[in-house]
Amino acid sequence: MNNFTFCNPVKVVFGKGTIARLSTLIPRDAKVLMIYGGGSIKKNGIYEQVIGALKDFRFAEFPGIEANPHYETCMQAVEFVKKEKIDFLLAVGGGSVIDATKFIASAVPFEGDPWDILSKGNEIKRAMPLGAVLTLAATGSEMNERAVISRVSIGKKLNFASPLIFSQFAIMDPEVTYSLPARQVANGVVDSFIHVIEQYLTYPVNAKVQDAFAESLMKIIVEEGRKVLANPCDYDIRANLMWAATNALNGWIGQGVPQDWSSHRIGYALTAQFGLDHAETLAVVLPGVMQYLQKEKEEKMLRLGASVFGITSGSISERVEETIKIVELFFRDMGLRTRLNEYGIKESDLDKLIEPIIQMGWKLGEHASIDAPIAREILKLRL
Ligand code: NZQ
Ligand code: ZN
């Protein structure tokens, strides 16, 4: 196991009716800005619950954060925060709203051009305090220190991370996820599964706690994920998926182990250039990464096949092949497409798709061995 230092300071408040606890979690004298998305919270009762809990607070609202949040919209919020002298940010939504809130929290006190936080990886020195009411189980953003923002005017999607952007608290009521459209439920299942994969499917370093934890999370995500679309209002399924998704990317399973993240990075351009949902990009790219890097990932691939999907017989190459197939099949069973041509993307589009990798100079994967030409080969396998 590799060395690590780990601290996750997010207070989790989990379960039915927990939105009412908001008033005890935000400082009483704060002026709160409630940040939310396109309006789903006004149709499913979440908005009323939040407003009810905040009735004794001074507060304002900033709606309109897009899925794959736009830099341009976040910057409007930054102006609003300064003008209204807001001192606490409350994200009410999925990963997009929480990520946008993290970026706004960083951009308000930032000296210089806030785009540099994303494009140059300039470290932030301060951030506003924020809290989160989670409405979609997928990204783990409610309990991690990362955010991903898109600048639509130039077709770029970039991420940043800082311990200063951990949410102070995460309210997680599984009942609020009942209203999610099936497509978003499936996206959440696939995204959280692949978060585990990015931190697990590398090479072994004898990290028994992390490996066993990761395997349990994947088993739960596959089992409950296969049930949830037919049982959208089953509390136990929703609760287990929600908590699994948080644990998939709250830092625990990634400590002391090599990490990959190439599927995520290669996928950014598919969202920025072709508008695929985040999880849709991953369902296309991951099987290609598994196939292209099967030798490097062989030991973990065999463990994944055996422990999560019960693949225990056949030669090594047969078991590896079977594991790649069953992972792709799981994504298809969840209703996601797994091939570029299903989105109308052709070989002639590949050069543009790898441009961000060239521009950012990314060397991806646990061995930093995936450069732009290799990413192109991986994408070619997915046509
Ligand atoms: O905009 P609203 O009206 O809120 O509707 C949203 C949105 O259209 C809707 N929704 C959310 N909760 C709902 C609901 N509809 C009905 N009932 C509810 N309870 O769902 C749609 C998608 O929401 P979004 O927040 O975009 O989804 P998700 O949570 O999957 O977040 C995706 C974003 O997170 C980033 C992705 O790149 C993408 O931009 N990621 C963030 C990560 C992180 N911070 O650690 C890691 C991830 O790998 C990922 O990259
Ligand atoms: Zn993801």
Side-chain angles (χ1 to χ4, degrees), residues 37-40 44 46 65 67-69 94-96 99 102 135-136 138-139 141 144 146-148 157 176-177 179-181 184 191 195 249 264 278:
S40 65
N44 55 18
I46 299 173
I65 301 293
N68 303 302
S96 293
D99 283 7
K102 289 171 167 177
T135 66
L136 195 168
T139 63
S141 186
N144 72 34
R146 308 165 176 223
V148 195
K157 181 170 182 172
V176 308
T177 63
S179 60
L180 279 164
Q184 298 302 341
D191 190 24
H195 291 159
L249 195 48
H264 270 72
H278 171 63

Side-chain angles (χ1 to χ4, degrees), residues 12 99 114 117 139 353:
V12 174
D99 283 7
I117 300 172
T139 63
L353 281 170

